Amino acid sequence: AYIRHLAPFAVFFGLGYAFEILVKVDGFPRYATGCIISGCLLNCLLDYLLVLRFPFGVEGAAVATGASQLFATVLYLIHFLGKRTGLHLRPIHHRLRDIWTAFKLGLSSGLTELSAGAVTFLFVHAINRRLGDDVRAGKFRLDLLSRINLWHFDLPALSERREDIEPNHHGRGDARSARTLLRYSLLSVAVLSAAVFAGSLLGAEGIVSLFLGPDLPELRAYSAGVFRIFSTSFLLVGYNVVLGGYFTDLERPGEALVISACRSFLTMAAGLVIMIALLGGRGIWWAATLSEAMTGVVSLALLWRWKRRGL
C-alpha cells in the first residue's frame, strides 16, 4: 500500500535530487538548503495531518512523503524560471556520447544506492543463521544501526558539496588546486568522523534510549554495546566516500566504480564471512569496520597510482 501510493511521485525524487545539485552549481546553495528544509517541514506537517489527525494510515504517510518531494521540486523550478539563474531550461539535443558519459560517471553512486538492499539481506541472513533465539533483537539492532548510520553519512557528504568546485579546477587543468581541495576534504572528514566516533562511544546509551524505552533494560544495554562496536566504522567510512567522489569529479568512473563496488557489497560480504568465522555471532557487528578498512586499502592504492602518474 505504501509503495502504490508513493510510486506516482517517484519522478520527483529524481528531479529533486538533480535540481538540488544544479541550484548549488548555479551559485545558490542557500536557496537549495531552503528548498530541502521546506520539503522536510511539509513532510512532517502532512504526516501529522494524514496519519495522526485523519485515519489514512500508511497510505497517508506515503502521500505526505511524495507531496513533500513534489513541493521541493516546484521550488527548484521557480528558481530556474526566474531571472537570477544562470542555468536555463532548453530543449534536449540527444547526444549518445553525453548520455553515456553521464551514465558512467553516475554508475558508482547508483551502485551504492542499489546495493543497500543486498547489504541488508546479507546482514539479515547472518543474523538468522548466527543469533539463534536472539533473532528478533538482532534485527532490531540492525534497524537501529541503519538509522543511526544515516546520520553519519551526512559527514562525508562534504564529498558531494565539493562537486561544485573540484570539477572546475580539473576542467581548467589546475590539478594543484584540485589536490588541495582533496586534502581539505580529507582533513575535515577526519576531524568530524573522530568527533562522531567519540560521541558514539560516550553517548551510546542516550542514543539507544531514543529508540528503546526503559522497560527493556537488557536490550538497551546490549544494543548500546553493539552500537559502540559498529561505530568504529565511522572512523573510516568518510575517507572512502570522499575518495570515491574525488575520482568521479575527475571523470575517472572506473576508479570510482571500484571503490563503490567494494564498500557497497564485495568487502561487506567478505567482512561478514571473516568476522563471523573469528568471533561468531558477535562478529556481525564488526563486519562494517573490516569492510571499510579493506575498501580503504583499495582506495589508497588507486589514489597512489593516480599520483604516480603525476595527475
Side-chain angles (χ1 to χ4, degrees), residues 140 144 207-216 219-221 223:
F140 171 81
L144 170 63
I207 294 174
V208 168
S209 67
L210 296 174
F211 301 88
L212 282 173
D215 54 325
L216 298 170
L219 183 58
R220 287 180 61 170
S223 296

Side-chain angles (χ1 to χ4, degrees), residues 12-292:
F12 300 111
F13 284 85
L15 286 175
Y17 181 79
F19 284 160
E20 176 204 344
I21 295 174
L22 290 173
V23 169
K24 291 184 297 181
V25 171
D26 197 24
F28 295 90
R30 294 179 182 176
Y31 185 85
T33 303
C35 294
I36 295 173
I37 294 175
S38 299
C40 291
L41 293 177
L42 180 63
N43 196 353
C44 295
L45 175 61
L46 292 178
D47 274 335
Y48 171 74
L49 293 175
L50 299 180
V51 178
L52 298 180
R53 297 293 296 177
F54 303 101
F56 290 110
V58 67
E59 293 90 345
V63 172
T65 301
S68 67
Q69 291 293 324
L70 170 60
F71 178 68
T73 301
V74 170
L75 293 179
Y76 293 131
L77 279 174
I78 291 174
H79 169 78
F80 290 120
L81 295 175
K83 297 181 179 180
R84 298 189 302 166
T85 180
L87 300 175
H88 302 280
L89 300 177
R90 292 288 186 269
I92 296 176
H93 300 287
H94 295 287
R95 294 179 58 182
L96 293 180
R97 182 189 303 174
D98 293 339
I99 295 175
W100 175 240
T101 299
F103 175 80
K104 290 190 296 182
L105 292 176
L107 188 59
S108 60
S109 298
L111 179 62
T112 299
E113 298 290 340
L114 290 173
S115 65
V119 170
T120 301
F121 171 81
L122 289 176
F123 269 90
V124 171
H125 182 70
I127 289 171
N128 286 336
R129 291 284 302 274
R130 291 292 176 172
L131 294 187
D133 296 335
D134 203 24
V135 167
R136 289 187 63 187
K139 288 180 179 178
F140 171 81
R141 294 184 195 108
L142 175 61
D143 182 60
L144 170 63
L145 294 176
S146 298
R147 294 172 186 273
I148 295 173
N149 199 34
L150 288 176
W151 301 349
H152 177 257
F153 268 95
D154 287 336
L155 299 182
L158 286 168
S159 172
E160 177 183 312
R161 305 303 174 255
R162 212 183 56 232
E163 68 194 1
D164 306 341
I165 308 171
E166 196 164 76
N168 293 330
H169 294 316
H170 175 62
R172 294 196 304 265
D174 189 359
R176 180 177 180 181
S177 295
R179 288 194 297 268
T180 299
L181 188 58
L182 173 64
R183 288 195 292 270
Y184 286 153
S185 297
L186 291 174
L187 179 60
S188 299
V189 166
V191 173
L192 292 173
S193 296
V196 169
F197 174 65
S200 300
L201 290 182
L202 298 175
E205 286 83 1
I207 294 174
V208 168
S209 67
L210 296 174
F211 301 88
L212 282 173
D215 54 325
L216 298 170
E218 293 184 2
L219 183 58
R220 287 180 61 170
Y222 191 87
S223 296
V226 165
F227 178 48
R228 288 191 174 95
I229 293 173
F230 189 84
S231 65
T232 57
S233 66
F234 296 171
L235 291 171
L236 303 172
V237 61
Y239 299 104
N240 294 322
V241 174
V242 166
L243 289 176
Y246 176 74
F247 283 115
T248 298
D249 293 342
L250 298 187
E251 297 185 1
R252 301 292 300 181
E255 288 86 345
L257 183 60
V258 169
I259 295 173
S260 179
C262 285
R263 69 179 304 271
S264 61
F265 184 77
L266 297 179
T267 58
M268 186 64 75
L272 280 169
V273 171
I274 294 171
M275 298 312 298
I276 289 174
L278 294 175
L279 302 175
R282 194 172 182 83
I284 294 172
W285 314 117
W286 285 102
T289 302
L290 180 59
S291 171
E292 295 294 345

